[in-house]
């Protein structure tokens, strides 16, 4: 009889509840009354305090930041859901996942000043009131869960947040709250659940009123006390009510719920596990303990994983920012099996999940995913298309056909895309060194109108990406000025994210733009101290590069400079790295040896960093006015010739092009300012010369050196 009553009640509930009764296993078990209420005492006592004090609205300026280590921390929300309520009695937690500008020295992947778009930054302590943060209003509303509309099966695995219960007014629920007071200790688990479900229908505007009501606080206490008496289905229904009740994601009560669901993970079906994970996502809470249980259980259900289960799993993996290593191989196999049946938005979700979880797949698998995306690109929404680009960027995969398709698609879509989507398009082009005038021009035309919606991160990375690809100020009258103004408008954010200012100013320096007010700020002793105190080692190099660029290009500069001690420290660090890396490359050693033979000995060739702030080396040679070599360590007589011989590689250029990337274009400019003639041994010429005879190499070098005169 009890079973029939439960089934009748469940069948009256919305979509996913009905599906759970179809998909779950039949578990017959007895439940004991809980006698250990003392172990929940601290949690239940806290409920009174937190809800009495109410909630405060905090704004997180970065939609890429997420906690990894704390179960109490607020999770990363979708870009359209960046504002959340928090209990005032808890500190806001914020660990950072950032798609940050890399200052790596590696010369093996991209440039010496590369974009580490596949690296999570270190955890930083939050400071809610560290500066006056102005909220950035959304420019374009993006449905980050559009894939859930692709198949009816997702109703079993997720909560449709667009299907909020029909709102009920406060006065209609007052009798229910009064009944909570009346029942008190006689309240049973079904009563608690029923009250929560009914109260969750309250009009959203009145939720703060409910959350401060002592009777509601009492109800939450009862829910914790009865926690182990709830069935699995009831637990999931309680979680759903928490979504509509807007329970703060930082609330310690939720720790107890996570622990209970984790304890029962082996009693849940695959669909219930995925649904529970989605409900936690909707609440906005990171639940690493529960996700670990989910991931361990997936291995038991691999035979049941179809397209919707796989896509939902990858969505959850992405939002949790972690994919266990032992799941990568099964996921790859499932992806390859089901890829052909995926809808366009599902492909985008797969790419986003892999990107957010920093999960590498073999090149062949990534290529097949992008091939599938290419076959449906015209049917893809903008969000899904951008997600494919993100995973391409993470994988460093140059997929020519896809990028050519972007040359057609982006100009058609740019006028309706938001600033973050446009930023990710340009970051991918920059990371892959793919310069497409149609893409860049269409974005440059759109961005100035979006300046009010630009975070400092958006502005700085757009400046970086465009300048890296050699997009000059003359190509758009408003692009660089508008983003420079956007940086000024978000100055306060630099106190917490100094790297954003440096990223933007370096991008501007690549195209010889130096906004003096922002440069003064970046090189001021206070900002330098802040940067070195709060951030990573690589920001020293950025300060060093900016300082040297200002010195060379603004000879009249009277503003602040880095200390000589810091400049020497960074220069020495860069040289030590170069000695262990670039200096030992075969093409460099061969050029050095051949030039020594050509000019008469090693005293005529010096391998060094002429411009250390550009983080690369040159072979320096000196000639007298007659063209005769002079030992490099001898002071040059007046007059025509210091020559910097550059051994370039393909990562100095836009792909399949002779267009220098931003850093290397700036270096070429700075060498000329310093009085050097530049002789380039281009990789497309010198790499083929390496296979030829010594005589041919010497003849080639002779022509290169003396033709430059």
């Amino acid at each position: 009889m009890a079973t029939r009553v439960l089934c009748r009640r469940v069948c009256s509930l919305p979509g996913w509840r009905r599906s759970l009764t179809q998909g779950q296993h039949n578990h017959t078990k007895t439940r004991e009354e809980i006698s250990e209420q003392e172990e929940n005492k601290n949690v239940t006592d806290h409920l009174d305090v937190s809800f009495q004090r109410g909630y405060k609205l905090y704004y997180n300026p970065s939609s890429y930041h997420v906690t990894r280590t704390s179960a109490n921390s607020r999770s990363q929300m979708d870009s359209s859901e960046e504002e959340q309520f928090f209990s005032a009695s808890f500190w806001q937690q914020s660990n950072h996942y950032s798609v940050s500008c890399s200052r790596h020295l590696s010369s093996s992947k991209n440039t010496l000043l590369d974009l580490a778009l596949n690296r999570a930054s270190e955890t930083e302590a939050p400071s809610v009131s560290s500066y006056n943060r102005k909220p950035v209003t959304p420019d374009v509303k993006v449905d980050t869960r559009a894939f859930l509309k692709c198949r009816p099966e997702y109703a079993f695995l997720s909560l449709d947040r667009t299907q909020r219960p029909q709102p009920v007014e406060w006065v209609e629920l007052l009798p229910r709250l009064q009944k909570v007071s009346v029942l008190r200790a006689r309240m049973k688990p079904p009563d608690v659940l029923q009250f929560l479900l009914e109260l969750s229908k309250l009009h959203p505007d009145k939720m703060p009123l409910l959350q401060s009501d002592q009777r509601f606080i009492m109800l939450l206490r009862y829910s914790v006390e009865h926690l182990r008496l709830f069935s699995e289905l009831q637990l999931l229904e309680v979680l759903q009510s928490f979504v509509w009740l807007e329970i703060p994601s930082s609330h310690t009560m939720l720790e107890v719920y996570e622990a209970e669901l984790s304890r029962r993970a082996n009693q849940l079906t695959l669909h219930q596990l995925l649904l529970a994970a989605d409900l936690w996502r909707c609440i906005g809470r990171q639940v690493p303990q529960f996700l670990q249980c989910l991931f361990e259980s997936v291995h038991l259900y691999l035979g049941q994983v179809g397209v919707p289960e796989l896509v939902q799993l990858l969505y959850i993996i992405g939002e949790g920012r972690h994919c266990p290593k032992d799941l990568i191989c099964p996921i790859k196999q499932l992806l390859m099996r089901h890829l052909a049946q995926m809808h366009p938005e599902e492909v985008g979700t797969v790419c986003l999940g892999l990107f957010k979880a920093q999960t590498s797949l073999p090149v062949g698998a990534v290529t097949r995913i992008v091939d599938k995306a290419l076959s449906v690109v015209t049917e893809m929404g903008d969000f899904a298309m951008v997600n494919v680009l993100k995973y391409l960027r993470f994988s460093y995969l140059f997929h020519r056909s896809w990028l050519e398709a972007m040359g057609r698609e982006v100009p058609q879509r740019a006028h309706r895309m938001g600033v973050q989507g446009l930023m990710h398009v340009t970051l991918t082009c920059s990371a892959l060194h793919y310069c497409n005038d149609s893409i860049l021009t269409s974005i440059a035309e759109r961005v100035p109108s979006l300046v009010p919606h630009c975070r400092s991160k958006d502005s700085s990375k757009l400046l970086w990406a465009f300048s890296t690809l050699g997009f000059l100020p003359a190509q758009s009258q408003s692009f660089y000025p508008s983003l420079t103004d956007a940086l000024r408008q978000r100055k306060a954010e630099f106190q917490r994210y100094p790297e954003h200012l440096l990223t933007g100013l370096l991008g501007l320096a690549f195209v010889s733009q130096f906004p003096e007010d922002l440069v003064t700020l970046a090189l001021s002793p206070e900002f330098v101290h802040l940067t070195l105190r709060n951030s990573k080692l690589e920001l020293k190099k950025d300060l060093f590069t900016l300082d040297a660029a200002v010195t060379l290009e603004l000879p009249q500069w009277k503003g602040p400079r880095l200390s000589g001690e810091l400049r020497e420290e960074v220069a020495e660090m860069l040289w030590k790295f170069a000695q262990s890396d670039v200096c030992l490359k075969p093409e460099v050693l061969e050029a050095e040896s051949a030039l020594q033979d050509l000019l008469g000995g090693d005293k005529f060739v010096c391998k060094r960093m002429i411009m250390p702030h550009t983080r690369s080396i040159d072979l320096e040679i000196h000639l007298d006015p007659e063209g005769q070599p002079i030992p490099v360590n001898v002071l040059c007589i007046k007059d025509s010739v210091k020559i910097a011989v550059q051994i370039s590689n393909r990562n100095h250029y836009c792909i399949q092009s002779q267009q220098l990337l931003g850093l290397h274009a700036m270096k070429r400019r700075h060498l000329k300012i310093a009085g050097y003639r530049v002789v380039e041994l281009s990789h497309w010429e010198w790499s083929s010369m390496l296979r030829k005879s010594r005589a041919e190499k010497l003849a080639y070098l002779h022509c290169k050196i003396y033709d430059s005169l």
Side-chain angles (χ1 to χ4, degrees), residues 606-648:
C606 179
K607 180 168 57 181
R608 74 183 189 94
M609 301 179 88
I610 300 174
M611 297 287 169
H613 66 283
T614 61
R615 313 177 193 194
S616 55
I617 65 159
D618 303 281
L619 300 175
E620 183 172 357
I621 61 177
H622 293 177
L623 303 176
D624 67 15
E626 306 301 322
Q628 296 301 310
I630 301 172
V632 178
N633 59 359
V634 174
L635 184 65
C636 284
I637 59 175
K638 188 178 179 181
D639 298 329
S640 62
V641 181
K642 296 188 296 183
I643 295 178
V645 179
Q646 294 187 311
I647 301 96
S648 65

Side-chain angles (χ1 to χ4, degrees), residues 58-116:
Y58 292 114
Y59 176 71
N60 181 353
S62 172
S63 65
Y64 300 93
H65 288 179
V66 67
T67 177
R68 284 179 178 271
T69 57
S70 171
N72 294 334
S73 302
R74 172 195 177 194
S75 78
Q76 160 58 34
M77 296 305 292
D78 292 333
S79 58
S80 61
E81 305 163 352
E82 290 190 43
E83 295 182 349
Q84 289 286 320
F85 284 103
F86 284 78
S87 170
S89 60
F90 283 92
W91 291 105
Q92 180 184 9
Q93 301 287 325
S94 176
N95 287 1
H96 306 306
Y97 167 80
S98 62
V99 185
S100 63
C101 175
S102 160
R103 281 86 180 173
H104 285 184
L105 286 171
S106 170
S107 61
S108 60
K109 267 207 168 177
N110 278 330
T111 62
L112 295 175
L113 189 63
D114 200 359
L115 288 173

Side-chain angles (χ1 to χ4, degrees), residues 199-251:
L199 292 173
S200 69
K201 298 176 183 178
L202 180 64
H203 196 286
D205 292 346
K206 296 295 188 296
M207 280 300 170
L209 190 63
L210 175 65
Q211 291 163 351
S212 63
D213 192 289
Q214 285 296 320
R215 293 164 293 187
F216 179 64
I217 295 169
M218 185 187 309
L219 180 63
L220 291 179
R221 181 189 302 127
Y222 293 152
S223 82
V224 173
E225 291 176 354
H226 290 88
L227 186 58
R228 292 200 174 188
L229 300 178
F230 287 126
S231 69
E232 284 74 36
L233 178 59
Q234 288 173 329
L235 265 179
L236 293 173
E237 291 180 291
V238 170
L239 272 191
Q240 185 206 227
S241 74
F242 287 170
V243 176
W244 305 130
L245 289 165
E246 300 175 10
I247 300 296
S249 61
S250 59
H251 210 294

Side-chain angles (χ1 to χ4, degrees), residues 22 58 139 164 171 196 303 438 517 553 610 682 705:
Q22 300 167 9
Y58 292 114
D139 44 8
R164 190 177 186 118
V171 291
L196 287 171
S438 297
D517 58 328
E553 300 210 42
I610 300 174
S682 60
I705 298 297

Side-chain angles (χ1 to χ4, degrees), residues 299-362:
H299 292 283
L300 305 175
Y301 296 107
L302 289 176
Q304 302 177 27
V305 177
V307 172
E309 291 81 8
L310 176 60
V311 174
Q312 180 71 2
L313 175 62
L314 280 166
Y315 171 75
I316 296 299
I317 284 173
E319 298 312 299
R321 300 325 199 259
H322 172 64
C323 181
K325 289 183 179 179
D326 62 349
L327 261 188
I328 294 176
C329 185
I331 283 176
K332 187 207 83 170
Q333 293 171 348
L334 288 167
L335 267 173
M336 296 303 99
R337 183 188 309 164
H338 296 307
L339 190 59
Q341 287 75 48
M342 287 187 182
H343 295 299
E345 301 308 304
E346 292 175 320
V347 177
T349 299
V350 164
C351 289
L352 182 61
L354 294 168
F355 169 78
K356 283 186 172 181
Q358 305 287 276
T359 303
S360 296
L361 295 181

Side-chain angles (χ1 to χ4, degrees), residues 250-277:
S250 59
H251 210 294
T252 52
M253 172 187 69
L254 298 178
E255 283 186 50
V256 186
Y257 274 88
E258 181 191 1
E260 181 64 15
L261 274 167
S262 300
R263 187 181 69 82
R264 297 200 208 178
N266 60 355
Q267 301 169 27
L268 299 174
T269 67
L270 176 62
H271 282 191
Q272 289 174 327
L273 287 165
L274 290 171
L275 173 59

